[in-house]
Amino acid sequence: MASTDMTNETSIQAPPRKRRYAMRRVFEYPIIPVLLLLPMVVCGLFGPWIWPHDPTAINFTVRQTPPVWLEGGEWRYFLGTDQFGRDLLSRLIEGARIALIVSTVTVTTAAIIGTAVGMLAGYYGGIVDTILMRIVDVKMSIPPVLLTILIGAVLGGGLTTILVAIILVFWADYARVIRGETLALKSRGFVQLARVANASDWRIFTRHLLPNLLPTCIVLITLQFGAALVIEAAITFIGLGIQPPASAWGLLVADGRAYLTSAWWIPTFAGMAIALTALGANLLGDWLRDYFDPRLKKR
């Protein structure tokens, strides 16, 4: 009887143990962030080959067709159509391409500029540090929305406005963080030995400082990828970003806000795409931050 009771107790405790193991595996690897980001990456890379219809083709005979699971929906327009009869799924896929391009280009460019400024300020110090950091302080004192409006007034609406605005918003964040990391690294033994060996500043930057700064840069890039996506959608929403008839998630939300009561699916799916993709980028950034933290690896 005792053996039978122990067997039953083990069988009862096994499923919870398996569930705990499965949950630990989920959080040990970035499964959820990857699943949230995968649709944007796939649609962004292979959009023209996978969208079912031309995202700019107008067909008033099927305007405001609801999604397939609602009454009046059609399988050929799985997520419905907008006020001009354009397939919403195709426009979301095209919007993913724009979001992927804008976020990747702006965040990478801002990272390059900010990392270079931060390394120069932290390594040389003195007057170089003072001048560069005062420029960073001036930039940080300007609200991002005001900066975007000023750039839009100068350049006009369009893709150029989005790229310039996001780069100018983000580069100073990299500069501040990388400067602090560089200040800590330049006093380390391997940098001092490189100086004693008469290594050039360029060699010290590329062989000793930059490899140790890359984990921090990768985490910042991932965290700001989602922020760039949201800013791109916000700029487009206020009319300074992507212009019709192009497809962009922010543009779909802006165009569909007048149809919330009659065709709620027009802005809703685009808003969900923005929110879920930004969430995935933030979760991936959090995971990378924990992954590169040596204090957590020791636990």
Side-chain angles (χ1 to χ4, degrees), residues 13-25:
Q13 293 179 352
R17 187 178 303 143
K18 291 181 179 179
R19 285 196 295 267
R20 288 195 298 268
Y21 176 76
M23 291 299 296
R24 187 166 62 249
R25 299 286 291 182

Side-chain angles (χ1 to χ4, degrees), residues 5-41:
D5 294 340
M6 291 180 61
T7 303
N8 293 335
E9 183 178 355
T10 303
S11 62
I12 293 174
Q13 293 179 352
R17 187 178 303 143
K18 291 181 179 179
R19 285 196 295 267
R20 288 195 298 268
Y21 176 76
M23 291 299 296
R24 187 166 62 249
R25 299 286 291 182
V26 168
F27 289 103
E28 183 179 358
Y29 299 100
I31 298 175
I32 295 177
V34 169
L35 291 177
L36 291 175
L37 290 171
L38 189 61
M40 186 191 72
V41 175

Side-chain angles (χ1 to χ4, degrees), residues 132-177:
L132 292 178
M133 286 301 102
R134 295 301 77 76
I135 295 175
V136 171
D137 291 338
V138 171
K139 183 271 154 192
M140 297 291 287
S141 66
I142 303 175
V145 176
L146 177 60
L147 181 62
T148 301
I149 294 175
L150 292 175
I151 295 173
V154 174
L155 301 178
L159 182 61
T160 302
T161 299
I162 294 177
L163 297 177
V164 174
I166 298 178
I167 291 172
L168 291 180
V169 167
F170 282 164
W171 74 270
D173 297 332
Y174 290 94
R176 278 195 167 183
V177 174

Side-chain angles (χ1 to χ4, degrees), residues 1 25 44 58 91 112 120 143 153 163 180 212 217 238 244:
M1 287 295 294
R25 299 286 291 182
I58 296 175
R91 290 181 65 77
I112 294 173
L120 291 173
L163 297 177
N212 289 281
C217 291
I238 64 177

Side-chain angles (χ1 to χ4, degrees), residues 237 248-258 266-268 270-271 274:
F237 181 83
W249 290 346
L251 190 61
L252 289 175
V253 175
D255 291 344
R257 58 182 171 175
I266 298 176
T268 300
I274 296 171

Side-chain angles (χ1 to χ4, degrees), residues 38-265:
L38 189 61
M40 186 191 72
V41 175
V42 173
C43 294
L45 294 176
F46 306 105
W49 292 277
I50 62 177
W51 61 44
H53 304 277
D54 183 352
T56 61
I58 296 175
N59 185 1
F60 285 107
T61 60
V62 292
R63 63 187 301 268
Q64 296 187 18
T65 299
V68 67
W69 59 87
L70 297 179
E71 184 179 357
E74 301 180 20
W75 278 103
R76 58 174 177 163
Y77 302 114
F78 185 77
L79 295 182
T81 61
D82 63 6
Q83 65 274 23
F84 297 107
R86 296 172 295 192
D87 179 53
L88 197 56
L89 177 59
S90 301
R91 290 181 65 77
L92 288 172
I93 295 174
E94 175 64 10
R97 296 186 66 209
I98 295 177
L100 182 62
I101 292 172
V102 170
S103 299
T104 303
V105 171
T106 55
V107 172
T108 302
T109 305
I112 294 173
I113 297 173
T115 300
V117 171
M119 290 176 64
L120 291 173
Y123 183 78
Y124 289 112
I127 188 65
V128 175
D129 183 26
T130 300
I131 294 175
L132 292 178
M133 286 301 102
R134 295 301 77 76
I135 295 175
V136 171
D137 291 338
V138 171
K139 183 271 154 192
M140 297 291 287
S141 66
I142 303 175
V145 176
L146 177 60
L147 181 62
T148 301
I149 294 175
L150 292 175
I151 295 173
V154 174
L155 301 178
L159 182 61
T160 302
T161 299
I162 294 177
L163 297 177
V164 174
I166 298 178
I167 291 172
L168 291 180
V169 167
F170 282 164
W171 74 270
D173 297 332
Y174 290 94
R176 278 195 167 183
V177 174
I178 296 302
R179 172 184 175 271
E181 295 282 339
T182 304
L183 286 172
L185 287 173
K186 77 173 185 179
S187 61
R188 301 281 294 274
F190 60 90
V191 176
Q192 298 298 326
L193 288 174
R195 284 179 168 178
V196 172
N198 291 325
S200 64
D201 291 345
W202 176 256
R203 183 178 181 84
I204 293 175
F205 283 159
T206 56
R207 295 295 184 88
H208 300 285
L209 293 180
L210 189 58
N212 289 281
L213 294 172
L214 277 180
T216 301
C217 291
I218 292 173
V219 173
L220 286 174
I221 287 173
T222 309
L223 289 172
Q224 290 192 337
F225 187 89
L229 176 68
V230 175
I231 292 176
E232 180 270 323
I235 295 174
T236 301
F237 181 83
I238 64 177
L240 295 177
I242 306 299
Q243 302 297 314
S247 301
W249 290 346
L251 190 61
L252 289 175
V253 175
D255 291 344
R257 58 182 171 175
Y259 301 92
L260 279 172
T261 57
S262 59
W264 55 266
W265 51 88

